[in-house]
Structures are given as C-alpha cells and as structure tokens.
Amino acid sequence: MGNAAQPFFFRSGSAELFAWLHPAAGAQPAPRLGLLICKPFGYEALCAHLSLRAWAQAAAQAGIPALRVDYAGTGDSADGDGQAEQLSAWSRDITDAAGQLRRRCGVERVCLLGMRLGALAASLAAAEHGGIDALIAIAPVVSGRRYLRELRALQGSLMSAVQEQAQERPAVLEVTGFRLSAATVARLE
C-alpha cells in the first residue's frame, strides 16, 4: 500500500468516526510529530476538501503523518446525537483522533490544523482535553454570534422572501443541508 492514504473507522464516545491516515513518507524511525487536520463545518468543509487533502499529502511527503477525520454526524462518520451540543462532541472527537494518530504512527507530539469552525473546535480540544502540542488556526471563528449571522445570511439568501417572512428563527440551524443543533446554536450565541 506504500504511502497511500489509508481509510479507517474508530470509536469516539458512542459514534464510529471515519478518518484518512496519510502515513509519513520514508519514516524510519517513527516521526516525532503528527498533524491532525480539523475541517470546517458544512458547505465550507466541501469547499475546503481538496485543500485539506493537499495539506495532508504535503505533510506526509515531508515526513509528518497526517490524519483527516469526519466528526460525529458529518461526512462518512456515524450520526451524532441530534440534540447534543456539537462543539463539545467534536472537541472530544478531535482528542480521540489525536490518540489514534499517536497509536497508529507512534508520534510523540500532535499539531492541530483547524480551519474556520474546525479551528474553534481544535482550540477547545487543546484547552479542554490537553495533550496537544501546537495549533494552527486558519480563518478561525472568533465570534460565535458573527458566525451564526454569516450562516443565517447564507441560508436567507437561499430562501425566497415569502418563506423567510413566514418562518420564525428556528432553534436548530440548517444551512445548505448541514445542521447545527439548538444546543450548539445556543453555545455559539
């Protein structure tokens, strides 16, 4: 299989998560540092997919194993609890994924690379769970309220004016087919 990306599932809490491991090229002995890529939410994750994969491949070519993971309820991972506060769940998923990177690749240190909401979840994982040695935040969500405004504006631009006026602001936020639970919306607000 060489250095081709390796798909696998692992357990985080009660969910089975899907991940891609990009092994380090020519890593003898085991590399000391691993990179865990924390994707953004929803449509931004779709748009960033190729770039995140390219970063993982570049890290692997440089001798740094990289791991990309789908959080619970996203991508190819099992559905999460639809009522749960997702930022906390995703933070736990990131911590568990860092453990997988350590076990599978023998790395001593883990760097998180997070984009947008993934950067926020990564910083929460580093602060709440520890065991993270470095954090790279790309265009991080620094204001939950502002981020929710962006999502609502995007969703509003997709709805007709009649539908927008007829609906009250729902507790659950669904934007371009991706959901944030009421508890997550409350935490971001």
Side-chain angles (χ1 to χ4, degrees), residues 106-187:
V107 298
E108 298 170 12
R109 299 176 310 158
V110 173
C111 174
L112 303 180
L113 183 149
M115 179 182 274
R116 299 287 290 146
L117 196 60
L120 175 59
S123 66
L124 291 172
E128 295 171 0
H129 304 286
I132 302 302
D133 299 286
L135 173 65
I136 301 168
I138 299 171
V141 170
V142 294
S143 168
R145 287 184 181 156
R146 187 172 347 154
Y147 180 68
L148 288 173
R149 263 196 317 268
E150 290 173 21
L151 292 178
R152 289 180 177 124
L154 175 59
Q155 185 62 18
S157 70
L158 300 173
M159 296 172 59
S160 71
V162 173
Q163 288 175 324
E164 190 173 340
Q165 291 172 357
Q167 281 187 333
E168 291 186 25
R169 182 185 267 180
V172 172
L173 181 60
E174 184 173 330
V175 181
T176 63
F178 300 94
R179 288 179 164 243
L180 288 176
S181 68
T184 305
V185 170
R187 182 167 184 193

Side-chain angles (χ1 to χ4, degrees), residues 26-65:
Q28 291 292 327
R32 295 175 44 117
L33 175 68
L35 179 67
L36 175 57
I37 296 177
C38 306
K39 68 180 187 172
F41 170 73
Y43 186 69
E44 290 177 340
L46 294 176
C47 293
H49 176 77
L50 292 177
S51 296
L52 297 177
R53 187 177 70 190
W55 276 328
Q57 292 168 335
Q61 283 302 109
I64 300 168

